[in-house]
Amino acid sequence: ARAAARCGPGAVMGSKNLKAIAVRGDRGIQVADKAALQGAAEEAVGAILGDPLYESAKTYGTLAITPLAQALGFLPTRNFQESTFEGAEKLRGEVFMEKYATKHKGCYNCPVACSRFYEVSEGPYAATRGEGPEYESVSALGSKCGNDNFAAILHANTLCNQLGMDTISTGNTLAWVMECREKNILTQDQLDGLDLRFGNDAAMIELIKKMAAREGIGDILAEGACRAAQKMGGADRVVHSKGLDYPAVDIRGTKGMALSFAVSPRGGDHLKGLSLYEVAPDIYAQDIREETGINVTPHYWLQYETKAVLMRWHENWHCVVDSLGLCKLEGIALKPLLPKHFQRMLAAATGWQIPVNELELIGERIWNLERLFNAREGMRKEDDLPPRRLFEEPIATGPAQGERLDRKRYEQMLTEYYRLRGWAPDTGIPTSEKCRELSLD
Ligand code: SF4
């Protein structure tokens, strides 16, 4: 099983004394037009099966991203100090399938079945069993921590799921501790004697257990790197926006996702604007042009231009996909389904004939509502900036060598994004005209 731990829903439930929600129905599911829904579903499945990346998604799930991240130079390594990992070959999907996967797992009737069950059969982590892991978890508990021991990553992944911990924030907290240890911001004594050098998987496992039990140093680190840094120092080493740790993308080499992670309402979040279009532009050039009007250029992921347009489009459709209850992997984040597929499935299921442009407007309304919520809580333009270190520290090696965020060009991209969104340029708050236009006044 997997813990739905990202962003702390368990803490929200705990604050309400809520242990669980169990839902059971016995009335079946009514649809407006069964034949049309069957046709729309077959069309969607056809698009999935015809996608150029279908075979790799089916075989490796999101682990197919690891070699792409390494090749383009956006695989966060040793707490975002580097963007390629010398141990990346050991973390490929092929290695996982050969040594650890026991069988595929998928959601009901999904033609991709992107997940797998796993088991470690030998070594210190023998008898570890679990489900997954996603690329995000492999990077968080692997490359970000300088750890190329796949069995240890699987053990940590299983532990996190059993303990209800988010693998991304857990991995980022460990990686932050390791960098602080390396730079003598934290001493081994402060870390209860644990030798938390990059790559020490045994110490990582011990620290995860301490965090879950809130034992010793684990009590402070259980709050996450952001809050721990306020007490212990090293705040400039935490890679986050709005308090949420960054996912497995080094945004110095992907300028659109730099914008996306920084403006996301939940903070550093890959599920609000993640764009396969940005990192696989050659494969999807025609779709990108037809959907957004953008003509991609060579090394598109390194460009600032047109990213405000691209991310605005993704964000709106991410909101629609979330509202429809569809999968993000085969939804809009990683292609291959397009707005026309969502429109047809919704119309057939509900009878609502909503044109594609109005569906996107619904997504835009949701995005603005979330923005207004954050504005009410005091968030402003300064909260839409990536961490300072990613502006100041260029990538030292690999295909993205020399890349960092350029402050002036980032500001221009953000200004363009606010303009497209209809938000005030000095605060980032939706204007009254925009609120009226979206019936949010
Ligand atoms: S619906 Fe999505 S998450 Fe579920 S198996 Fe299919 S691709 Fe994977």
Side-chain angles (χ1 to χ4, degrees):
R2 301 182 186 202
R6 186 104 166 118
C7 296
V12 174
M13 289 170 68
S15 73
K16 299 180 189 310
N17 287 329
L18 175 66
K19 274 193 178 170
I21 302 172
V23 180
R24 190 173 177 181
D26 58 7
R27 294 193 193 168
I29 298 170
Q30 305 297 321
V31 297
D33 187 336
K34 212 170 172 183
L37 184 60
Q38 181 71 26
E42 284 171 8
E43 186 185 35
V45 169
I48 291 170
L49 297 180
D51 185 68
L53 301 181
Y54 168 70
E55 281 301 331
S56 60
K58 181 176 175 56
T59 309
Y60 304 117
T62 55
L63 291 185
I65 300 171
T66 312
L68 175 71
Q70 175 81 350
L72 265 51
F74 67 81
L75 181 64
T77 298
R78 286 181 275 275
N79 198 33
F80 293 83
Q81 295 183 86
E82 297 139 78
S83 70
T84 47
F85 183 39
E86 67 281 1
E89 280 296 307
K90 296 183 186 172
L91 305 184
R92 291 177 69 105
E94 290 88 336
V95 176
F96 172 78
M97 293 305 293
E98 189 187 321
K99 294 180 76 172
Y100 305 109
T102 51
K103 67 174 180 176
H104 271 271
K105 175 180 180 288
C107 303
Y108 178 70
N109 257 354
C110 175
V112 182
C114 69
S115 190
R116 286 97 14 204
F117 292 102
Y118 58 77
E119 180 171 356
V120 180
S121 58
E122 59 185 12
Y125 302 109
T128 296
R129 294 187 187 87
E131 188 229 317
E134 301 297 336
Y135 160 72
E136 283 292 339
S137 306
V138 169
S139 172
L141 301 163
S143 63
K144 286 178 186 172
C145 295
N147 171 30
D148 64 6
N149 182 338
F150 217 139
I153 292 169
L154 296 177
H155 191 73
N157 185 64
T158 295
L159 257 186
C160 285
N161 284 327
Q162 288 172 341
L163 296 168
M165 296 165 76
D166 169 35
T167 54
I168 300 176
S169 283
T170 301
N172 280 34
T173 301
L174 294 172
W176 169 76
V177 167
M178 288 169 153
E179 189 185 352
C180 287
R181 172 80 183 82
E182 184 181 71
K183 294 192 161 51
N184 292 321
I185 297 167
L186 298 177
T187 65
Q188 194 162 332
D189 282 350
Q190 280 178 292
L191 299 170
D192 297 348
L194 290 175
D195 182 14
L196 280 152
R197 278 176 291 186
F198 281 115
N200 188 343
D201 53 274
M204 286 172 59
I205 299 296
E206 281 313 302
L207 190 52
I208 291 173
K209 291 177 185 169
K210 278 174 167 281
M211 287 162 68
R214 286 191 168 264
E215 178 195 310
I217 188 64
D219 189 35
I220 295 175
L221 296 175
E223 298 285 326
C226 255
R227 287 191 186 168
Q230 289 168 8
K231 293 181 181 161
M232 306 175 76
D236 64 335
R237 302 286 96 196
V238 184
V239 178
H240 75 97
S241 282
K242 301 182 180 78
L244 188 65
D245 309 282
Y246 270 26
V249 179
D250 191 319
I251 57 168
R252 290 174 293 185
T254 54
K255 314 300 190 204
M257 278 190 259
L259 177 68
S260 167
F261 289 2
V263 301
S264 164
R266 297 198 304 196
D269 183 358
H270 62 299
L271 292 176
K272 290 289 186 184
L274 183 67
S275 169
L276 190 61
Y277 282 172
E278 180 171 42
V279 293
D282 297 340
I283 297 176
Y284 296 117
Q286 187 180 341
D287 283 344
I288 298 171
R289 190 165 49 249
E290 288 175 5
E291 295 295 331
T292 67
I294 296 169
N295 288 309
V296 294
T297 46
H299 297 97
Y300 184 57
W301 50 94
L302 298 178
Q303 313 297 322
Y304 292 85
E305 293 76 17
T306 73
K307 295 301 171 61
V309 175
L310 185 75
M311 288 306 155
R312 178 180 175 277
W313 183 86
H314 271 290
E315 290 159 356
N316 290 347
W317 284 106
H318 270 268
C319 289
V320 174
V321 171
D322 276 342
S323 302
L324 292 173
L326 292 174
C327 163
K328 280 279 174 75
L329 185 62
E330 289 304 315
I332 203 77
L334 297 180
K335 282 278 291 156
L337 298 185
L338 292 167
K340 65 181 180 188
H341 297 112
F342 308 134
Q343 192 269 339
R344 286 174 197 161
M345 287 190 281
L346 178 66
T350 64
W352 301 341
Q353 298 296 338
I354 304 176
V356 164
N357 62 330
E358 283 185 31
L359 258 188
E360 185 178 356
L361 199 64
I362 292 171
E364 186 182 2
R365 185 177 298 122
I366 295 167
W367 191 256
N368 277 268
L369 192 58
E370 293 181 6
R371 186 74 179 184
L372 288 166
F373 180 94
N374 277 356
R376 189 194 68 188
E377 299 302 309
M379 291 195 192
R380 295 292 182 270
K381 184 178 181 181
E382 52 272 24
D383 297 300
D384 289 339
L385 292 178
R388 190 169 53 88
R389 65 183 292 188
L390 302 182
F391 287 100
E392 295 175 354
E393 299 169 13
I395 294 171
T397 57
Q401 185 177 16
E403 288 294 327
R404 62 182 174 83
L405 293 176
D406 181 278
R407 193 168 287 279
K408 191 171 164 204
R409 298 186 77 186
Y410 179 84
E411 291 272 357
Q412 287 169 343
M413 183 167 64
L414 185 63
T415 300
E416 170 66 357
Y417 174 80
Y418 282 2
R419 188 187 68 74
L420 290 168
R421 281 266 173 232
W423 295 351
D426 52 339
T427 62
I429 296 176
T431 59
S432 45
E433 291 83 4
K434 175 52 73 177
C435 291
R436 253 195 311 280
E437 181 190 320
L438 296 172
S439 306
L440 289 171
D441 53 343

